[in-house]
Every structure is written in C-alpha cells, then in structure tokens.
Amino acid sequence: MEMEQLVALCKRRGFLFPSSEIYGGLQGFWDYGPLGVELKRNVREAWWRDMVTAHDELSAPPGAPSTYEMTGLDCTIIMHPQVWKCSGHYDLFHDYMVDCRESKRRYRHDQVQGRWVEAKGERIFVATEACGDEALEATEHKALKFFNLRKKKADQLAWQGPLVSLTAVDDFGAVLGPDAKRLGTLTEPREFNLMFKTIVGALGGEEDAAFLRPETAQGIFVNFKNVVDSTRVKIPFGIAQIGKSFRNEITPRNFTFRSREFEQMEIEFFCHPHASLEWYEYWRNRRYRWYVDLGLAGERLRLRDHEPEELPHYSLATADIEYAFPFLADGDFGELEGVAHRGDFDLRSHMEGKLMRRGDELVVDTDEDGTPKHRGSGKDLSYYDDQSKERFTPHVIEPSAGADRATLAFLCEAYREDEVPDEKGKLTRRVFLKLHPRLAPIKAAVFPLVKKDGMPEVAREIYKSLKPEMTAFYDEKGAVGRRYRRQDEAGTPFCITVDGQTMQDGTVTVRDRDTLDQWRIKKEDCAAEIIARLKG
Ligand code: GAP
C-alpha cells in the first residue's frame, strides 16, 4: 500500500482531516472525522478495558511474577511548572534544530540526511528530508541542478558513500540544504525545547508561565501518594491514564505519526525494587501481545530492546514496540510504544529535586553553591509495606503508548485491495479495511435491497434491534453494491440485507466483509448473530 492511498481513504470516508482545513490547516494538528473518532475511541477503550477494567487482580496472568492491581487517573493538562523542572523536561526535553538562512525553513538536525558527491572538482553534501529511495532520487536531482548537469550526464556525479545523517557532518560550509540552492546556508544545530508554553492568570509575567504537558506520566507520579492514601492498593500495582499531550515538534510529519497534539495511553507500574526486572519482562511481553491480539501480527511488528548506549540516564532497560509504517524506507520501523524500566528516578525526583547521574548513582543536580537546581516537593513518596514492615521507594515500569500512532498502525495494517464481481458479474477493484471487529467504527450495516415492498420497514426494525448493542448503520440509498463498497471502506465487518425472500420466509442475508461469504439467518436473530461473530 502507498501511504497516499490510505490518506485519500481517510479523507474520503471521514477518518481524518487536517485541523482547521478551510484556513489551510495547521501543521502537526489533525482532526478525527465521524469514522475516525469511533475508531480511536475503540483503540482507547480496548486499551483501558484490557489493561484496567478487565484485569483480574485475584489471579496472576501468564508471565506475571504475582497478582497485581490496576487503577486509573485523569489529571490536568496544565500542572505546576515545578513538575517539569523536577522531571527534567524543562532542562532536557529538547531536539536540535538547524535553520536555513536561504529558504527560512527549519529542520530537525537528526531528520536531515544526505550523500557526499563530487563533480567538476567540487565535493558537497546534498541534504534532504526524504527517506529511502525517495532520498536517493531527491539527492540526485538536487546534485544535477547544483552542478548544472543534464540527467543523461548523471555519471559525472561521483557519489561517496551511502545516505548518512546530517548529525555525522561537521563541515556545514559544504552542505547543500534540503530547500537551498547555495552551499552553507544551514546554521549550526541549536537546542529547541519541545514544551508548549502558556500563561496562567491575568498578569502574564514570566512567573505565570506554565506548560502544556508533553506526557501524561508526570500526573501519575505526582499523585502516587494520593492514590496510595485514598485507596487500598498495595504494591505491586499500576496506575493508568489516557490523555492529550503536546509537543512543539520541529518537523511534524508522516500523517498523524509525529503530531504536535496527540494522545498517550500510559501505565506507571509501581513494584518492589527486587522484583522490578521480572515485572519489566512481563510488561514488555504483555504490551507486545496486545498489538498482536488486535491484528498487528507478522513481520511489520517487532519488539526491539534498546542497546545500553540508547538508554536514558535513569533507565535500566527499555524496549520499543515498533511497526513498519509504509511511509518509512524498507527495513525501517517507527515507535508505537516504549516500555521502560525507570527505577526510582521519578518518585525520587519529585521528592528530592531534579536528579542527574554521577557514576553509578543518581544525585540531586545542584548549582555551583550546592543548592538544588530544581527543588523537589519535599513530600515523602516512599511506600510502607505493612506485611514485611519495610519502607522503600518503589521502582517503576512504564509502558507508554500513543493512541494516534496505534490507530494509524491499525489503519495501515487493515488497508486491503482485491477484485470482486459487481452486480453484472464484472470484476471490479475493491478497497476494504480489514479492521479487528473490536476496533471497527461500525459493527453492522443494515440495508433494504430496494426502497419498496415493505423492505425498508423490516430493515429499520433490525437496525433498531442492533442499536442498543453496537454501532450500527442504516442505508437505503443507491445500488446495494455501492452500499457494500462504502461499508467495506469503513471497515464494517458485517452487512445485513433485507430482500424479496425476507418478505416470504422472514430470513435475511449476512455478508462477511473479508470473505464475502453470505448466509441466511432469521431476521429476529440478527443481534445475537452479530454479537456472537464479533466475539469470534
Ligand atoms: N512517558 C514516556 C514518554 O512520553 P515517549 O516515547 O516520548 O515516552 C510515548 O512517548 C509514546 O507517545 C510514543 O511511543 C508514541 O506512540 C507517542 N508519541 C510521542 N510523541 C508523539 C508525537 N509527536 N506524535 C504522536 N505520537 C507521539
């Protein structure tokens, strides 16, 4: 599948629209349309149900070291600014950017790549934002233009080595920027904090500055004591949260994959330090299986353990769940979720102040005079185990997923094309979304074959019987073949059709989206039949 085909389907069928499109859109912001909102809700609800409400706290699930409890929170988007100072986001949550003095465009340093090439006695680095084969084409095109060569003279370009990241280049004077015509127009990389700043209150001074949260996790850490004190949860337990996060990404791109406003589904799982590696293993596998169970099986999904040098300074182990999105170069994967062993870093940061690593230890980051750079809350966030009579600071395992990235991956995986006979028996191209029934925005559509002979009345009764149980859709407009196609593109697993035979023997046809099999059932059995099939 080409990404353009999915983007066109999403627009055509109302899954996703650019935000404020009538004003030209706003880069990095997306709106979910009537079908998209149902799909994303289903992703969120599947996650909440599978991780929180359906979790059985009386039995240890396969692979878990013991039983555990799960609970939830819904915290504010704007929090006390000190939260972000202690968490490290204020000082460290940045990307490096480079600006182009000629085109006035801004790029993320690590997202520009290019190739060294020599021609007419000059050696230059041709840069592009494209990936894979597109990057090879783009760099050749730019190099030909720069050296004023025709395409048939492409053999005069002596390429030196493969595509490499701009981060590997020191001599910026030799770089031809992605949108530049001259050499040396890119600035040296500069830090750019990704948090959106806002003002709380009417005065508007720097002391009133606050931030839109860049992750939902911190709301959980700062409420750890509230949850322990107000419920009877005992370690090990997890707190889950779903909510919006905001990052002022320098180069939002690839549809919703890198947005500036997006939704996260995060769990902070608190456990005894001695058991934390076992819990890390459990969550790493448990979360991978969740995607497999919802249809992302196969080579396009992988679980990748981080190399030691990739780990942030507080993490003892991290694994990413990744998907081979179609907009990436062959062999490349994009992150859907990170599962991180965060030790006691977060709770200690909010007790003691922003931490930094010194040798093997995490210590409070101080100014030259020894005062903490960012003071913690001073509240005791340790945990007292009244059975073992032990007090300790829990370790945290954090499975952190993106609802938008998961939704996009499910859409990419579901996109299918095949050929099916139309009403006249002629083979025609069909596009359909093979979404897992739990995720499908509409579970069943009901059609009268024609708009007469009492068929609409029977179809409406069936529709009414389905409505309390599931999202159902009634459609009587146009040829029935076209109605099937529309539902195939929406990913609706079942269509029920009332036809002439219904009026004689009270049966209707049920059609399966994927196999196109059709079978007859009694009209009063529709709800039970669809419910049973949705459950598989
Ligand atoms: N609390 C840890 C944390 O926030 P992260 O890897 O920065 O970790 C977790 O983010 C997940 O959030 C990612 O795996 C991804 O699914 C999603 N995410 C992060 N940035 C995003 C963006 N700009 N657009 C869409 N989703 C994003």
Side-chain angles (χ1 to χ4, degrees):
M1 184 208 37
E2 296 297 327
M3 202 55 205
E4 291 70 37
Q5 294 169 291
L6 181 70
V7 173
L9 172 81
C10 285
K11 177 89 206 291
R12 188 164 75 238
R13 284 291 168 250
F15 280 96
L16 276 157
F17 309 123
S19 161
S20 357
E21 195 180 8
I22 59 169
Y23 290 104
L26 186 61
Q27 227 197 340
F29 296 89
W30 294 91
D31 293 337
Y32 286 81
L35 287 179
V37 68
E38 294 295 338
L39 173 62
K40 192 168 150 193
R41 280 177 71 99
N42 291 342
V43 171
R44 282 196 305 250
E45 276 165 21
W47 184 89
W48 191 264
R49 194 175 151 65
D50 295 345
M51 297 301 117
V52 186
T53 50
H55 169 65
D56 167 10
E57 57 198 36
L58 302 180
S59 346
S66 70
T67 59
Y68 63 91
E69 295 177 72
M70 288 297 296
T71 185
L73 273 179
D74 185 11
C75 307
T76 58
I77 284 169
I78 296 176
M79 299 168 71
H80 195 293
Q82 198 65 13
V83 169
W84 308 110
K85 293 185 176 161
C86 290
S87 69
H89 285 83
Y90 186 80
D91 290 341
L92 302 171
F93 193 53
H94 49 240
D95 279 337
Y96 284 92
M97 59 176 194
V98 290
D99 285 307
C100 178
R101 293 186 207 93
E102 184 188 310
S103 67
K104 308 290 176 233
R105 292 217 34 212
R106 175 166 285 181
Y107 312 95
R108 225 173 92 173
H109 187 209
D110 61 353
Q111 281 178 357
V112 177
Q113 52 171 351
R115 293 194 280 170
W116 286 101
V117 64
E118 198 172 329
K120 299 185 175 175
E122 196 176 10
R123 182 174 179 264
I124 68 167
F125 183 82
V126 189
T128 175
E129 279 192 291
C131 306
D133 289 346
E134 271 179 47
L136 295 177
E137 268 171 48
T139 44
E140 182 179 285
H141 182 73
K142 276 179 67 77
L144 288 170
K145 249 184 146 174
F146 179 83
F147 288 112
N148 205 8
L149 293 169
R150 287 172 188 277
K151 184 132 181 56
K152 58 183 178 202
K153 298 275 165 116
D155 56 358
Q156 291 189 15
L157 297 172
W159 294 103
Q160 299 172 352
L163 282 165
V164 290
S165 165
L166 182 64
T167 53
V169 175
D170 292 328
D171 179 8
F172 270 45
V175 173
L176 180 63
D179 298 284
K181 295 193 180 74
R182 290 179 285 118
L183 292 181
T185 61
L186 294 185
T187 61
E188 288 293 319
R190 278 182 290 157
E191 280 178 11
F192 175 79
N193 194 295
L194 300 182
M195 284 198 293
F196 278 101
K197 215 171 185 179
T198 188
I199 297 292
V200 175
L203 294 176
E206 195 47 34
E207 65 281 12
D208 297 321
F211 302 94
L212 305 192
R213 67 179 176 203
E215 62 172 22
T216 58
Q218 297 304 321
I220 301 179
F221 297 128
V222 300
N223 275 295
F224 170 74
K225 191 170 157 46
N226 280 336
V227 173
V228 171
D229 291 349
S230 63
T231 66
R232 291 161 61 186
V233 287
K234 296 250 174 301
I235 273 179
F237 72 89
I239 306 180
Q241 172 159 227
I242 298 181
K244 290 266 180 157
S245 293
F246 301 81
R247 295 183 189 179
N248 198 1
E249 299 282 358
I250 300 167
T251 46
R253 53 158 82 181
N254 292 333
F255 213 13
T256 56
F257 181 81
R258 192 174 303 288
S259 309
R260 289 179 163 142
E261 175 174 341
F262 55 96
E263 227 163 331
Q264 290 185 309
M265 309 186 289
E266 298 199 288
I267 296 171
E268 304 305 326
F269 188 80
F270 301 94
C271 58
H272 193 287
H274 290 151
S276 59
L277 276 171
E278 280 175 88
W279 281 112
Y280 166 71
E281 279 297 316
Y282 166 73
W283 279 108
R284 173 187 173 280
N285 300 332
R286 173 74 193 90
R287 289 300 307 144
Y288 177 76
R289 219 173 46 244
W290 186 77
Y291 294 96
V292 174
D293 290 347
L294 285 171
L296 292 194
E299 289 168 3
R300 302 187 76 85
L301 185 73
R302 77 173 184 193
L303 183 56
R304 185 181 68 82
D305 291 310
H306 281 210
E307 299 298 330
E309 58 277 11
E310 272 183 272
L311 295 175
H313 64 93
Y314 48 78
S315 180
L316 303 179
T318 296
D320 283 347
I321 301 166
E322 300 178 329
Y323 183 73
F325 286 97
F327 47 75
L328 298 172
D330 273 356
D332 283 358
F333 286 74
E335 178 186 326
L336 285 178
E337 169 161 354
V339 182
H341 185 315
R342 299 178 64 95
D344 58 7
F345 173 77
D346 304 281
L347 292 178
R348 273 190 60 200
S349 301
H350 289 300
M351 286 193 272
E352 301 168 30
K354 188 194 150 216
L355 299 176
M356 58 174 283
R357 179 162 290 283
R358 188 178 298 141
D360 281 347
E361 269 187 295
L362 287 171
V363 295
V364 175
D365 194 2
T366 53
D367 287 330
E368 275 148 27
D369 61 2
T371 53
K373 222 167 175 185
H374 299 300
R375 212 173 273 285
S377 68
K379 300 281 183 297
D380 181 5
L381 304 182
S382 65
Y383 176 84
Y384 181 69
D385 186 330
D386 48 17
Q387 279 197 327
S388 65
K389 311 284 180 228
E390 186 190 1
R391 181 168 286 284
F392 59 90
T393 305
H395 274 197
V396 169
I397 311 300
E398 180 195 64
S400 171
D404 306 85
R405 284 197 190 167
T407 304
L408 185 58
F410 289 127
L411 276 169
C412 292
E413 187 76 14
Y415 187 96
R416 297 280 198 290
E417 284 185 17
D418 63 2
E419 285 199 323
V420 295
D422 66 9
E423 286 101 278
K424 292 176 191 139
K426 193 173 144 227
L427 279 184
T428 51
R429 177 176 156 268
R430 172 177 85 127
V431 172
F432 68 110
L433 289 183
K434 196 175 174 184
L435 287 167
H436 189 287
R438 282 182 80 189
L439 301 181
I442 301 168
K443 310 297 183 202
V446 188
F447 310 146
L449 185 64
V450 288
K451 242 187 331 182
K452 56 184 185 184
D453 302 333
M455 293 183 209
E457 288 74 10
V458 177
R460 281 195 193 127
E461 278 309 309
I462 295 171
Y463 167 75
K464 276 192 206 157
S465 74
L466 297 180
K467 262 314 226 194
E469 311 289 343
M470 65 190 77
T471 46
F473 187 77
Y474 175 80
D475 190 3
E476 58 179 28
K477 291 187 211 92
V480 75
R482 289 177 67 103
R483 283 180 264 162
Y484 282 138
R485 297 291 179 279
R486 287 183 71 82
Q487 293 307 316
D488 288 340
E489 286 198 343
T492 307
F494 300 105
C495 290
I496 297 167
T497 305
V498 172
D499 54 17
Q501 195 176 328
T502 315
M503 309 316 289
Q504 289 164 12
D505 66 6
T507 64
V508 294
T509 62
V510 183
R511 169 189 180 268
D512 181 295
R513 172 197 66 199
D514 305 335
T515 60
L516 297 178
D517 285 348
Q518 297 204 15
W519 62 98
R520 296 198 80 88
I521 59 166
K522 286 198 207 133
K523 63 179 193 247
E524 53 278 13
D525 292 343
C526 286
E529 170 86 8
I530 302 296
I531 290 169
R533 288 190 178 259
L534 289 173
K535 283 195 178 141

